[in-house]
Amino acid sequence: MKLTKIDHTANYCSDLLESFMLITFEETIELAKGVWLSKTNTSDLQILRSNGSRRAAKSVVVLENPEYSASKKRISANLESAYLINEGNDEHVILLESRAALGTFSLKTTAADKRDVPFIDSCKNLGLRSETIELITQFLNRLRAEGVEDELEEGKARKWIMRPNNFVTITPQTRNMCFRISVRETEVCHNTSKIDWKTGLPTYREFAFSELGQLEDAVAVALGSAKK
């Protein structure tokens, strides 16, 4: 990540120069429309604005009107428009265009399946952030769209289990603002790139679900677990 000072005239009829700082991320690849993966030192991100960022596996930065060059694998935006929403523990950082972030994390745009409403209400009562709840809502909706009919029932210690097949267990974690998801271990688990696996109960694997970039892998391993 680097910063560059840019000078430009205030408007077409003025000689007055204005300046702003341009933030640039190198080694950037596009994951989806408005979503990129890049690398940077976590300490460099401390210069960004933050509205109560939380700890997570990977850092997440929102950019307004970024310019991306696929050939140069580079993305740039005005420093003042960039802000940090996740503080990660490694060199990888997820970059979101502001319009994509709003579309992804706005609870107004995604309604939960009626079978999952009690779980979602429980998450709200626990005080989980709206963007965290939106992420799990999208995860569950994707499972429903794939034909999953199991009921999400509350068990012990805030665990919610897909029954009767018990192929997914979801535990809201208020301290880390994420979800602990447990699935049956299948071949799909060995073909993921966005999940940091932990050993669970025998024949099960667990991971912390907290980022948009994990959604596709999370859905894939859950469906793989359902079919085992």
Side-chain angles (χ1 to χ4, degrees), residues 119 122 126 128 153-161 169-175 180:
F119 168 70
S122 174
L126 288 172
L128 269 69
E153 299 180 3
E154 187 173 10
K156 296 180 179 179
R158 297 196 304 210
K159 296 181 185 294
W160 289 74
I161 306 163
T169 298
I170 306 173
T171 307
Q173 297 193 321
T174 55
R175 181 177 179 181
R180 191 79 170 185

Side-chain angles (χ1 to χ4, degrees), residues 183-201:
V183 297
R184 297 187 183 110
E185 184 169 10
T186 66
E187 286 298 319
V188 182
C189 297
H190 303 289
N191 295 313
T192 59
S193 60
K194 309 299 181 185
I195 289 177
D196 183 17
W197 289 105
K198 306 295 182 183
T199 302
L201 296 172

Side-chain angles (χ1 to χ4, degrees), residues 134-158:
E134 168 66 12
L135 196 58
I136 201 67
T137 302
Q138 289 201 26
F139 169 77
L140 292 170
N141 284 357
R142 290 281 296 277
L143 298 187
R144 299 305 185 189
E146 292 291 336
V148 171
E149 297 290 342
D150 294 52
E151 295 291 334
L152 192 54
E153 299 180 3
E154 187 173 10
K156 296 180 179 179
R158 297 196 304 210

Side-chain angles (χ1 to χ4, degrees), residues 11-196:
N11 56 58
Y12 70 91
C13 61
S14 173
D15 293 328
L16 179 64
L17 284 177
E18 292 184 343
S19 300
F20 67 92
M21 298 301 294
L22 190 71
I23 184 172
T24 300
F25 292 88
E26 308 283 355
E27 299 183 60
T28 301
I29 58 173
E30 190 170 24
L31 300 178
K33 185 176 179 58
V35 184
W36 300 268
L37 179 68
S38 188
K39 290 183 179 180
T40 191
N41 293 325
T42 54
S43 59
D44 291 345
L45 298 176
Q46 300 306 311
I47 66 171
L48 300 179
R49 293 185 300 123
S50 172
N51 186 20
S53 61
R54 63 187 187 278
R55 301 298 301 181
K58 289 181 175 59
S59 298
V60 178
V61 174
V62 174
L63 305 173
E64 184 176 345
N65 299 322
E67 293 186 3
Y68 174 62
S69 171
S71 60
K72 296 180 180 179
K73 296 183 178 180
R74 177 187 302 164
I75 190 168
S76 301
N78 190 326
L79 175 62
E80 291 187 0
S81 72
Y83 62 94
L84 183 68
I85 60 175
N86 272 10
E87 289 188 65
N89 300 315
D90 64 21
E91 62 181 358
H92 293 95
V93 55
I94 300 292
L95 306 173
L96 298 177
E97 185 176 9
S98 57
R99 286 172 293 182
L102 289 172
T104 300
F105 293 122
S106 172
L107 279 173
K108 296 179 181 179
T109 63
T110 307
D113 185 282
K114 64 180 181 180
R115 291 165 291 188
D116 303 323
V117 168
F119 168 70
I120 297 300
D121 287 344
S122 174
C123 293
K124 293 177 181 178
N125 292 335
L126 288 172
L128 269 69
R129 295 191 179 100
S130 59
E131 62 266 27
T132 305
I133 296 173
E134 168 66 12
L135 196 58
I136 201 67
T137 302
Q138 289 201 26
F139 169 77
L140 292 170
N141 284 357
R142 290 281 296 277
L143 298 187
R144 299 305 185 189
E146 292 291 336
V148 171
E149 297 290 342
D150 294 52
E151 295 291 334
L152 192 54
E153 299 180 3
E154 187 173 10
K156 296 180 179 179
R158 297 196 304 210
K159 296 181 185 294
W160 289 74
I161 306 163
M162 280 287 191
R163 288 177 172 154
N165 293 321
N166 302 328
F167 70 93
V168 166
T169 298
I170 306 173
T171 307
Q173 297 193 321
T174 55
R175 181 177 179 181
N176 297 324
M177 287 293 164
C178 69
F179 296 93
R180 191 79 170 185
I181 296 183
S182 174
V183 297
R184 297 187 183 110
E185 184 169 10
T186 66
E187 286 298 319
V188 182
C189 297
H190 303 289
N191 295 313
T192 59
S193 60
K194 309 299 181 185
I195 289 177
D196 183 17

